[in-house]
Amino acid sequence: MKQDNQEIRLRFAPSPTGFLHIGNLRTALFGYLIAKSQGGKFILRIEDTDEKREVEGAVKSLLEILTWAGIEFDEGPGIGGELAPYIQSQRFDIYQKYSDELLAQGKAYRCFCSSELLEKMRNDQAEAKLPPRYNRACRDLSPEESLKRVEAGEKFVIRQKIPLAGEVKVIDELRGEIIFQAHDLDDQVLIKSNGVPTYQFANVIDDHLMKISHVTRGDEWLSSFPKNILLYEAFNWQAPKFIHLPLLLNKGGGKLSKRQGDVFVEDYRAKGYIKEAIINFCALLGWHPQGDKEILSIEELKNDFSISGLGSSPAIFDLEKLDFFNAYYLRQKSEKELIDLARPYLIEANLPTEGEKLERAFLIARDRLKKLSDSPEALSFFFEKIEAEENLIVWKNNTLETAKNNLAEILDFIAKIEENFWTKENLEEEVLGWVKREKEGRNGDYLWPLRTALSGLKNSPSPFEIAWVIGKEESIKRIKEVLNLQKF
Ligand code: GLU
């Protein structure tokens, strides 16, 4: 039996079936945060017992994306640890040993029923509107008979003997005690006919051997929870504490599914969501911090996270909230950091990837970015003016002629501002002062043509910001182009 002062050890136990589902990132994160907030260890275990579902390269990509997200493991494949190996396909002899133990104690049995027979059983049950359940035909074979059939080369699986009646009480840390009826439970398969353990068996053996203190997993595992507990009982092991994390729902109340949008962390990363935002967003999917502070860095989360803040009601996956966090964290980045983060998008859009002008552009565009992938759209007009209709420079009821005249006047004025003074603050002060003094403060009549002439866009940053980013020469060139002036 374990001690009360047992070490805090949590694990993330993904099956390498492809990309990382955002819900699984949440599961990993919660495990990580519970471990770290209590000074414990976080372990990665690869559950690759289902060869059919395995995808090549998935372990590598899992590690890559978890590392990207900032989740670090103390033990695991490629990291090492005293309880290695951490990949289930390398532990088959261990599972064999433990299933032999249960067989010897009469707590498990060999089942020789063929898959055709089992399928027929299921079909008959479905027809009779009964739940699918193994009819326990092999449960009471004598050990001698069982061995004889093995020696005769018959194929078999190993099943656990589940009590035929009575209650199975389990405790979930978020839901309290849950009572299941033993007669509702199937004699679950522990080892398949090819000698490979089932997820349910390997998972329990490994959680025990790896000294896991708390299991965090999705609540889709609640229905098999009593069977896990019966296994712990069969071995006379103390079960870890179980925390079944609440379901993730989309805003409409449905399950998160690929059809409605992105479900993989890789998708979000590719769209230009940054890790700080994804982590902060995921941390709040079912966990409520003490106090109102919602913006939390991973370091803060590692301190503040607590099981008591977890709830069992479904968490809503609200993309607007993710956008909010992403925009927030992008605003905290320096121009240089933004350039590094946005580089792939800049390259793809054939934009420069370094230089002072790019830094200025990010300084101005930063507040408008929701995602890194917005960068090309938010920045490209600084590097190449957008071709626009001539009339774009016309403010409200003005004529094109007035707009051009006003633009020409403002050009005349700003052309006199010296290069050294060409800052956004100076430009703003000078131009606004001039409009106020000379043009009765008719800002729209002058600033609209200026801004649209500089950007070619209906919506854009202020003319002073644009003029500063693109510089005096380019500003004058753009204005002259609009005025169709070769020379000025
Ligand atoms: N391999 C299981 C999965 O990928 C792990 C479930 C658990 O954490 O127990 O869903």
Side-chain angles (χ1 to χ4, degrees):
M1 287 275 158
K2 291 174 182 175
Q3 305 294 310
D4 276 348
N5 59 0
Q6 180 202 357
E7 197 190 354
I8 302 295
R9 290 171 61 86
L10 285 94
R11 54 38 171 205
F12 180 49
S15 302
T17 52
F19 292 131
L20 183 62
H21 192 286
I22 190 95
N24 286 344
L25 176 66
R26 194 248 335 226
T27 303
L29 179 67
F30 281 19
Y32 176 67
L33 295 176
I34 291 172
K36 293 300 137 183
S37 60
Q38 300 187 46
K41 296 250 162 65
F42 195 47
I43 293 117
L44 177 64
R45 181 174 74 230
I46 301 296
E47 301 207 324
D48 57 347
T49 55
D50 190 348
E51 316 96 283
K52 276 184 252 121
R53 289 176 58 222
E54 195 169 336
V55 172
E56 222 195 290
V59 175
K60 200 168 155 250
S61 75
L62 259 170
L63 267 173
E64 205 267 331
I65 195 80
L66 288 164
T67 308
W68 171 80
I71 295 181
E72 296 158 338
F73 294 96
D74 300 292
E75 298 168 28
I79 304 156
E82 274 174 33
L83 303 169
Y86 295 92
I87 299 184
Q88 288 189 329
S89 59
Q90 296 171 12
R91 300 171 62 81
F92 284 174
D93 51 336
I94 300 177
Y95 310 126
Q96 193 66 50
K97 174 179 159 244
Y98 284 96
S99 67
D100 285 351
E101 202 176 288
L102 289 184
L103 272 179
Q105 294 175 4
K107 293 174 176 170
Y109 60 95
R110 296 188 193 89
C111 165
F112 298 90
C113 296
S114 66
S115 41
E116 295 79 39
L117 194 69
L118 293 173
E119 199 181 316
K120 184 172 178 313
M121 211 180 289
R122 270 194 298 273
N123 290 339
D124 291 349
Q125 284 163 341
E127 232 165 80
K129 301 216 161 22
L130 292 168
R133 193 140 317 144
Y134 174 54
N135 68 5
R136 295 176 163 145
C138 298
R139 180 168 163 131
D140 295 317
L141 292 180
S142 69
E144 295 76 29
E145 157 116 41
S146 176
L147 267 183
K148 230 167 61 203
R149 291 176 75 167
V150 176
E151 279 156 18
E154 272 192 63
K155 282 189 137 196
F156 62 89
V157 300
I158 298 176
R159 292 182 183 269
Q160 186 185 2
K161 271 191 194 169
I162 298 285
L164 298 174
E167 290 182 339
V168 185
K169 291 184 183 166
V170 298
I171 296 174
D172 173 78
E173 297 301 304
L174 309 183
R175 294 162 183 82
E177 186 178 78
I178 311 172
I179 297 178
F180 292 83
Q181 298 302 323
H183 65 73
D184 286 334
L185 306 173
D186 215 356
D187 277 1
Q188 63 175 334
V189 175
L190 307 178
I191 305 276
K192 293 182 266 187
S193 57
N194 57 2
V196 174
T198 56
Y199 151 74
Q200 301 290 359
F201 188 56
N203 185 269
V204 165
I205 301 292
D206 286 346
D207 280 345
H208 173 72
L209 295 179
M210 294 178 184
K211 304 188 167 103
I212 299 305
S213 62
H214 298 71
V215 169
T216 45
R217 61 182 185 183
D219 67 0
E220 69 270 24
W221 298 108
L222 264 177
S223 59
S224 48
F225 189 18
K227 291 196 275 192
N228 306 144
I229 294 301
L230 287 171
L231 256 182
Y232 282 100
E233 284 175 5
F235 283 110
N236 212 6
W237 291 339
Q238 187 183 319
K241 292 195 158 80
F242 279 84
I243 301 166
H244 290 90
L245 300 173
L247 204 65
L248 291 186
L249 298 180
N250 62 37
K251 244 184 148 180
K255 234 185 121 186
L256 272 196
S257 83
K258 243 193 268 183
R259 255 171 297 132
Q260 289 145 336
D262 299 311
V263 292
F264 298 118
V265 183
E266 285 86 349
D267 295 329
Y268 289 96
R269 181 185 180 184
K271 285 211 167 145
Y273 289 97
I274 58 173
K275 62 177 183 181
E276 292 88 337
I278 294 185
I279 291 294
N280 199 155
F281 174 70
C282 283
L284 301 177
L285 293 173
W287 176 71
H288 307 278
Q290 272 192 326
D292 293 334
K293 192 164 172 239
E294 282 217 313
I295 297 282
L296 294 156
S297 69
I298 194 152
E299 288 308 318
E300 287 171 300
L301 289 166
K302 276 158 80 174
N303 274 319
D304 299 355
F305 205 80
S306 59
I307 298 176
S308 60
L310 290 171
S312 62
S313 42
I316 306 295
F317 192 90
D318 180 356
L319 270 179
E320 280 170 34
K321 188 109 196 199
L322 177 59
D323 281 346
F324 161 82
F325 281 124
N326 209 52
Y328 170 83
Y329 283 106
L330 288 177
R331 286 200 300 276
Q332 312 307 309
K333 297 282 176 196
S334 72
E335 299 87 86
K336 284 202 164 66
E337 286 169 323
L338 281 175
I339 292 174
D340 279 342
L341 287 165
R343 186 159 285 124
Y345 306 96
L346 301 175
I347 292 174
E348 208 188 311
N350 272 326
L351 286 167
T353 55
E354 58 188 340
E356 229 181 277
K357 181 172 173 187
L358 185 64
E359 284 177 33
R360 290 200 296 262
F362 264 112
L363 184 94
I364 300 305
R366 180 168 50 203
D367 291 357
R368 288 181 164 70
L369 297 179
K370 266 194 198 144
K371 306 191 278 291
L372 292 169
S373 54
D374 299 337
S375 309
E377 208 192 315
L379 259 68
S380 60
F381 75 94
F382 288 121
F383 297 92
E384 194 167 340
K385 194 180 138 181
I386 310 290
E387 286 310 321
E389 272 191 85
E390 215 176 20
N391 278 327
L392 180 67
I393 63 162
V394 179
W395 167 249
K396 289 200 172 158
N397 300 328
N398 287 349
T399 62
L400 181 60
E401 205 190 339
T402 321
K404 280 193 167 184
N405 280 339
N406 293 356
L407 188 59
E409 283 184 63
I410 212 162
L411 172 61
D412 201 12
F413 178 75
I414 61 172
K416 290 188 206 112
I417 297 176
E418 280 177 42
E419 199 96 41
N420 293 351
F421 290 96
W422 198 267
T423 63
K424 54 186 186 340
E425 294 80 13
N426 267 338
L427 283 163
E428 180 165 359
E429 200 186 316
E430 293 287 329
V431 174
L432 287 183
W434 174 76
V435 177
K436 196 168 172 197
R437 276 193 320 274
E438 318 258 331
K439 305 293 166 193
E440 299 131 30
R442 288 173 4 244
N443 283 348
D445 287 347
Y446 287 85
L447 300 189
W448 176 274
L450 176 62
R451 189 180 61 70
T452 50
L454 289 172
S455 66
L457 292 168
K458 207 164 167 190
N459 299 307
S460 69
S462 82
F464 318 114
E465 290 171 320
I466 304 172
W468 171 65
V469 172
I470 67 179
K472 182 171 175 182
E473 197 185 316
E474 172 75 9
S475 300
I476 290 181
K477 185 170 151 248
R478 288 188 184 190
I479 298 171
K480 283 183 177 176
E481 269 164 19
V482 173
L483 294 173
N484 299 322
L485 295 174
Q486 297 311 316
K487 272 190 180 165
F488 192 71

